[in-house]
Each structure stands twice: as structure tokens, then as C-alpha cells.
Amino acid sequence: MENKAEISKLLSSPKDVVIFSHRNPDGDALGSSLALCHYLTGIHHSVKIIFPSEYPIIFTWMPGSDKVLVYDLSPNECIAAIKQANLIFCLDFSSLDRIDKMGEFVNQQTCPKIIIDHHLDPEPFADYIISDTSASSTCEMIFDFISDLHGKEKITEEIAACIYTGIVTDTGSFKYSTSPAVFRKVADLLEAGVNDVLLQNLIHNRLQEKYLRLLGYCLYEKMEIMPEVKTGLISLSREDYIKFDIQRGDTEGIVNYLLMLENVDIAALITEQPTIVKLSLRSKGDISVQEICRDHFKGGGHKNASGGAVYGTLSQTVKKFKEVIPKYFKPNLSNISK
Ligand code: 5GP
Ligand code: MN
């Protein structure tokens, strides 16, 4: 790790640490934040985790998740914690707009800030930027961070469970963004006590009935295929949200079903939220949905998984998406082999 000596020095005396992660926190956001929190608490720091919005209830089993502060629910408590902080970590994001209104408070804070993230194009708002766009997940980077500073022995069973969760969710259960290194680290996590079958069940096999009904509706009624540009699209309106009682996290994973089709290289889930329309894009092989999100939808992420948003109506957004897609379509791409 670059700056290891300086970061070690920062951590050598007790600090009031705040760990941030991005809005709509996923398994990697939550896993990396909790893993780092357990590690820092174990070396005598006082730690608070703050998310802009709530995390999906499927993650409530994760150790320490009950103590996370959510800005949407308790803004004053969050602001007080930020003011008190003398060390800030930003995990699994690297542009301040991903933490909404808190971005401004964080920018104003003069204490040292450390980004640990695997997204493309990090913004230079922190004193230390630990960025690895080839990492499977921020959780994998937290594994390296702890190992580098204190050795793998510091990864307790509790920390290992949090790290495992982020790796599983960000690799689609080891389907993409994998490497020999990540499998070695997962072997270490199992040796640290992770029960992988139990955790896979906790993460994936506790859905509510309404999720599968929503998925069925999306695939049967709402799926649109644009064969000429090898693109699949599902859009959900506010009425759909009411009809299926869709809560935060309920649409997670739906976009990936489109990529299962042989004739789809670009997949989109476009959802009407209270104030914005959100896009969730995926691609196969050498098509960069990060460029699409960055150039047209004020977003970003990874080459094959990105998101963005539009202030506008659902139909305007769908129309815009359909207009920009042909520019990114690659007719002769043999994606499956990549
Ligand atoms: P998802 O489609 O699952 O919401 O997000 C896919 C990836 O894109 C994630 O890595 C996520 O962090 C990133 N992402 C999602 N929405 C946004 C956004 O609005 N802005 C940026 N910069 N990244 C996003
Ligand atoms: Mn991630």
C-alpha cells in the first residue's frame, strides 16, 4: 500500500472515525464498512458508520449492522458525528455526489480523509486515495488493507463474514470480476471461520414472495428487447412500485436476468423514483456501460455495471436511453469468450 507509513501513523493513536458509504448501500458497501469498523474498533478507535439511505433488510444479520446511522432517518445525529470526526473513510464510492447532501459536510471537514474504492474515475477529494479498479470489491481491498497494516491474523471470523458478503455480492457469487487472488483470499476467509454455505443462504435464499412475483412480472410483461442493438430493457413506473409494494433493494438483481439472453449485450433497468428516474446498466465483454452512464446519465461505476439518474419522466428517460444506445452497440463483439 502506498502511504502505508502515514496511514499507520494516523491509526497509531485513538481516533473518532466516521466511515461513509454510498446511497442505496449494497452488500459491498455494508460489508466493507462493517469489516473496517470491526477492525478499527479492535485497535481502540471509536467508529461510526453513516449511509445516506437505508440498506436492504436482507443484510440485517450482518454483525454491527444495527448500529449504522442513516442520514435520511437521523440527519442531526449524522451531522454531529461528522463534526466530531478526526478521521474519515469513504468506502465503495469515490465521487461526493454518491453521499448526497453529506458530500458538502465531508468536503468542509479538515480532518484526514481516506478513500478505499474500486470504481472508475475517483474524484480527488481525499488526502489518501486507495483505488484499485481491478479489485472484485471494496471488501477485497479491505482484506488487503487490514493484511497490509496488521497481517491476516487480524481478520476475525466476524470481519471475514463481512468481507465474504461483499465479495459474493459484487462478483455475482463468483461469476465476474474474479481473479486467482480473490479465490485465495476467499480461502483465507473460510480458514478464518466463514461458513460459506450458511452465508450464501442468508444472502440469497431469504426472499419474500413478492420479489419473485415482481421478477415474473418484469420478465413476462415488461421486458423489451431491441435486437438490432442487442439491448434488453425493463422499466418500472411509480404505479408498479405501489402494485408490488416495492421497497429498497427489491429490484436488486433483476437487470442481470436480461444478460442471460444470448442476443443481449447491454441490459437496463429503469425505475421511477420519488424525485429521479434511476438507471441500472449492465453489459457483457467490451462494452462500457460506465461510459454510457458518465456521458448521458450523470453516473458511473464499473465497465460492466454502472448506474445513473435523470431528473425527468420515466418515458423521457426510456426514450433517451433508446436514442443513445446505438452509439455504444458493437455488432461483431464475441462477448461470451471475453
Ligand atoms: P446498481 O446498478 O447496482 O445500482 O449499480 C451498479 C454500479 O454502479 C455500482 O458499482 C454502483 O456503485 C454504481 N452506481 C450506481 N448508481 C450510480 C450513480 O448514480 N453514480 C455513480 N457514479 N455510480 C453509480
Ligand atoms: Mn463495490
Side-chain angles (χ1 to χ4, degrees):
M1 185 199 319
E2 241 183 284
N3 308 115
K4 179 177 165 181
E6 286 168 60
I7 291 173
S8 284
K9 187 155 180 278
L10 274 176
L11 295 176
S12 64
S13 57
K15 295 269 183 321
D16 285 313
V17 180
V18 169
I19 298 172
F20 289 97
S21 197
H22 57 81
R23 86 170 95 93
N24 299 333
D26 53 12
D28 192 31
L30 197 58
S32 58
S33 300
L34 289 170
L36 183 66
C37 172
H38 293 309
Y39 164 67
L40 293 175
T41 308
I43 54 169
H44 310 298
H45 298 284
S46 161
V47 186
K48 296 212 160 92
I49 297 173
I50 303 181
F51 296 150
S53 61
E54 286 178 274
Y55 57 86
I57 49 169
I58 58 157
F59 294 122
T60 46
W61 59 270
M62 291 180 75
S65 60
D66 52 325
K67 296 199 189 67
V68 167
L69 297 174
V70 175
Y71 185 84
D72 280 353
L73 302 181
S74 47
N76 294 337
E77 211 181 328
C78 292
I79 291 168
I82 299 169
K83 285 189 175 152
Q84 205 192 329
N86 49 23
L87 179 60
I88 287 177
F89 280 89
C90 296
L91 302 187
D92 202 37
F93 73 98
S94 43
S95 68
L96 280 176
D97 62 350
R98 302 228 61 216
I99 54 170
D100 303 341
K101 296 180 206 89
M102 284 185 301
E104 217 171 294
F105 297 120
V106 170
N107 219 9
Q108 286 162 4
Q109 285 300 106
T110 53
C111 70
K113 295 165 204 146
I114 302 174
I115 292 175
I116 304 178
D117 184 37
H118 66 136
H119 290 93
L120 294 161
D121 300 336
E123 271 178 14
F125 68 85
D127 305 84
Y128 304 98
I129 302 179
I130 304 174
S131 161
D132 180 0
T133 56
S134 72
S136 65
S137 53
T138 302
C139 275
E140 183 184 354
M141 297 177 70
I142 293 293
F143 180 105
D144 295 335
F145 183 79
I146 299 174
S147 305
D148 225 11
L149 287 174
H150 267 105
K152 283 193 294 204
E153 315 72 60
K154 273 280 172 190
I155 299 179
T156 59
E157 188 177 333
E158 200 175 42
I159 295 175
C162 297
I163 292 178
Y164 180 83
T165 300
I167 294 177
V168 164
T169 54
D170 262 28
T171 62
S173 294
F174 308 107
K175 283 197 292 293
Y176 35 79
S177 314
T178 56
S179 64
V182 79
F183 284 108
R184 288 196 184 93
K185 287 169 209 173
V186 169
D188 287 334
L189 298 175
L190 299 202
E191 278 172 358
V194 161
N195 181 338
D196 59 332
V197 177
L198 173 78
L199 293 194
Q200 287 273 7
N201 272 320
L202 284 172
I203 296 163
H204 291 123
N205 298 336
R206 293 188 310 138
L207 294 175
Q208 291 178 279
E209 182 184 329
K210 68 172 182 178
Y211 177 87
L212 282 195
R213 298 211 180 273
L214 170 66
L215 177 64
Y217 171 71
C218 286
L219 299 181
Y220 190 66
E221 305 241 351
K222 309 288 302 214
M223 184 171 82
E224 236 182 291
I225 304 296
M226 301 157 66
E228 65 291 356
V229 283
K230 296 186 88 176
T231 295
L233 161 70
I234 292 169
S235 63
L236 290 172
S237 67
R238 213 166 294 166
E239 291 74 42
D240 294 324
Y241 268 70
I242 295 165
K243 186 170 166 198
F244 286 89
D245 182 27
I246 303 173
Q247 306 294 328
R248 200 178 294 284
D250 287 348
T251 56
E252 197 72 33
I254 290 177
V255 65
N256 295 312
Y257 283 86
L258 295 168
L259 278 193
M260 292 169 82
L261 294 171
E262 187 187 11
N263 66 335
V264 167
D265 287 343
I266 303 172
L269 176 71
I270 305 181
T271 54
E272 190 176 16
Q273 310 285 325
T275 54
I276 55 165
V277 176
K278 176 95 185 94
L279 294 98
S280 197
L281 266 52
R282 301 289 184 271
S283 64
K284 286 177 189 156
D286 203 27
I287 296 175
S288 173
V289 283
Q290 195 260 350
E291 282 174 24
I292 303 176
C293 288
R294 184 196 61 200
D295 296 347
H296 302 283
F297 301 109
K298 295 191 173 65
H302 311 284
K303 183 176 172 189
N304 297 126
S306 276
V310 166
Y311 286 98
T313 67
L314 183 63
S315 59
Q316 282 166 347
T317 311
V318 169
K319 185 164 172 273
K320 180 172 174 186
F321 173 77
K322 289 180 175 173
E323 278 165 9
V324 304
I325 274 310
K327 268 199 282 178
Y328 299 87
F329 165 58
K330 296 188 175 172
N332 298 319
L333 192 69
S334 171
N335 276 306
I336 275 309
S337 61
K338 299 245 170 167

